[in-house]
Amino acid sequence: MITLAVEVTSGAWLALLALTALRTRWWRPAPGPASLTLRGEPPAVVGLLAGRLHRNGYPATLLDLAARGWIGLGEAEPSRVRCHPAAPPGDRGLPALTDYERRALAHLEFRRRFEDEVRADARDRELTRGRIGRGTLTLLVAA
């Protein structure tokens, strides 16, 4: 009797999980008009949207900070680039750094937190959203 109850409960939970997976789809923002003009998204957010945040987000952010004058780049030896702090650009009308840009600037190695902050920025820009809502997730965990 207990075995049957466990089987039925497990089957119901798996059915609920399968239904959730079928009802939720990966979401992407609607494409904008074709243009050669770059938009305002930071390189790390672009890397997230391209599915390459883990591989390219951090280096792209460092290069972007170098292009904006926040860090300097130099060749330590052939084929090896070295980053070094530069004097902050000061008040040149530059936008404030995001949390993850400050983290990259400080050379922190907590990559997971960096990626979480990029994901939060992309959600704030309405470029990504969670696949499963909090209510559905609560229901799955409670079941």
Side-chain angles (χ1 to χ4, degrees):
M1 187 70 172
I2 292 178
T3 305
L4 179 62
V6 169
E7 290 174 354
V8 168
T9 303
S10 297
W13 187 85
L14 287 173
L16 182 61
L17 181 63
L19 181 63
T20 300
L22 290 173
R23 298 268 305 149
T24 59
R25 305 241 185 250
W26 289 109
W27 180 83
R28 292 285 185 192
S35 171
L36 295 176
T37 305
L38 296 176
R39 294 178 20 163
E41 287 81 25
V45 172
V46 174
L48 173 69
L49 294 175
R52 301 179 63 104
L53 175 62
H54 184 69
R55 174 187 253 173
N56 297 342
Y58 190 74
T61 297
L62 291 177
L63 289 173
D64 182 54
L65 290 172
R68 291 164 41 199
W70 286 95
I71 62 175
L73 299 176
E75 189 172 27
E77 58 187 65
S79 300
R80 292 192 59 100
V81 176
R82 180 181 211 164
C83 298
H84 55 85
D91 187 20
R92 290 194 255 163
L94 296 175
L97 294 177
T98 63
D99 290 340
Y100 57 88
E101 287 173 330
R102 277 192 293 282
R103 183 170 315 287
L105 187 61
H107 297 282
L108 295 178
E109 296 180 11
F110 301 108
R111 191 165 209 152
R112 175 75 179 165
R113 189 164 181 190
F114 171 82
E115 291 177 9
D116 288 345
E117 289 168 352
V118 173
R119 285 184 175 87
D121 184 30
R123 276 192 303 274
D124 290 345
R125 294 170 187 266
E126 297 181 356
L127 296 171
T128 62
R129 64 180 181 192
R131 183 174 179 185
I132 299 175
R134 290 186 191 271
T136 305
L137 185 60
T138 302
L139 179 64
L140 286 171
V141 169

